[in-house]
Amino acid sequence: MKNAIPNIVTALNLVLGVFAIIFTFQGELTYAALFVVSAMVADGLDGRVARYFGVSSDFGKELDSLCDLVSFGVAPAVMAYAYMLKDFSGGAFIAAAFATCGALRLARFNVNTSTVKGYFMGLPIPAGGCVIATFVMLDMKPSGWLFPLMVAVFAYLMVSTIRYPDFKGKDGEPIRTIPAIITVAIGVYILFLTFKSVLFVPFFVYALFGILNTIFGLFDHRQAV
């Protein structure tokens, strides 16, 4: 029985992602976004539950990736399309590109687990999906092509080689002071503008921090040379 418990938690991730899609069809984007965030919580728990019971398996890892694709790739893409992308020529392709980049991100992660350690290569799909979902929840529609560009940028970040810290262990990607200060300041400023962004800010700041931390890391490497 205990072998099934982690898989049940993983499946809950998928169920919440499907609920997000259904609520998007019903025009309830706020609830849809909350389901995506809740799916992230379930996604974070399944691995811990598996380790607690000592029942980690390859089956569970594959199931986790399939569930992540729905909850953090497809569901946010559908939300983005229903929110604003439908009003743009090519909006459907941008939504499809986001989901596709999420799938590529998961596939790359699965094959690189033995070679990439101490950091995530590219923005993790839960963070990418949640930043789109929580932005939609803000119900702030930017003018022009800003929103489609935003979706496209976060799609690219998932398949990029930017290093994102995983905050696990002492051998992780270094957390550099200046990028941390800049991103925290930006996060506080966004919260000051609207407290409704309380769910959006952590995901956005994490995405931005990875970019800045990687850029500052390049200067470190040059100085070392």
Side-chain angles (χ1 to χ4, degrees), residues 25-215:
F25 290 156
Q26 296 175 347
E28 299 286 351
L29 294 180
T30 296
Y31 289 112
L34 290 175
F35 277 121
V36 172
V37 175
S38 299
M40 187 202 67
V41 175
D43 180 55
L45 287 175
D46 59 1
R48 290 175 173 82
V49 172
R51 288 190 292 271
Y52 176 80
F53 287 106
V55 292
S56 297
S57 66
D58 291 336
F59 175 85
K61 294 176 182 177
E62 294 301 323
L63 178 63
D64 181 68
S65 292
L66 294 172
C67 294
D68 284 356
L69 179 57
V70 174
S71 297
F72 310 118
V74 177
V78 173
M79 287 182 63
Y81 181 79
Y83 183 59
M84 282 190 71
L85 292 182
K86 66 181 185 299
D87 300 324
F88 295 86
S89 59
F93 291 101
I94 296 175
F98 184 88
T100 302
C101 287
L104 293 172
R105 170 67 177 80
L106 289 167
R108 185 177 66 181
F109 175 80
N110 288 342
V111 300
N112 285 346
T113 51
S114 61
T115 57
V116 176
K117 296 183 181 297
Y119 65 93
F120 297 115
M121 182 184 292
L123 181 66
I125 187 174
C130 283
V131 76
I132 297 299
T134 53
F135 181 84
V136 170
M137 189 171 63
L138 292 177
D139 196 25
M140 297 171 57
K141 295 188 176 182
S143 60
W145 280 77
L146 187 59
F147 182 71
L149 178 61
M150 172 185 170
V151 177
V153 166
F154 281 99
Y156 167 73
L157 288 177
M158 289 191 291
V159 296
S160 70
T161 56
I162 294 174
R163 295 188 174 193
Y164 283 88
D166 63 4
F167 305 112
K168 295 177 183 178
K170 61 182 180 179
D171 297 324
E173 179 70 6
I175 307 300
R176 296 173 178 86
T177 303
I178 295 179
I181 292 175
I182 293 174
T183 51
V184 169
I186 291 174
V188 171
Y189 177 69
I190 296 174
L191 282 173
F192 177 78
L193 293 177
T194 171
F195 190 71
K196 291 194 304 181
S197 63
V198 65
L199 289 178
F200 168 74
V201 165
F203 303 113
F204 177 76
V205 164
Y206 180 70
L208 179 61
F209 173 76
I211 298 172
L212 296 179
N213 201 49
T214 298
I215 292 173

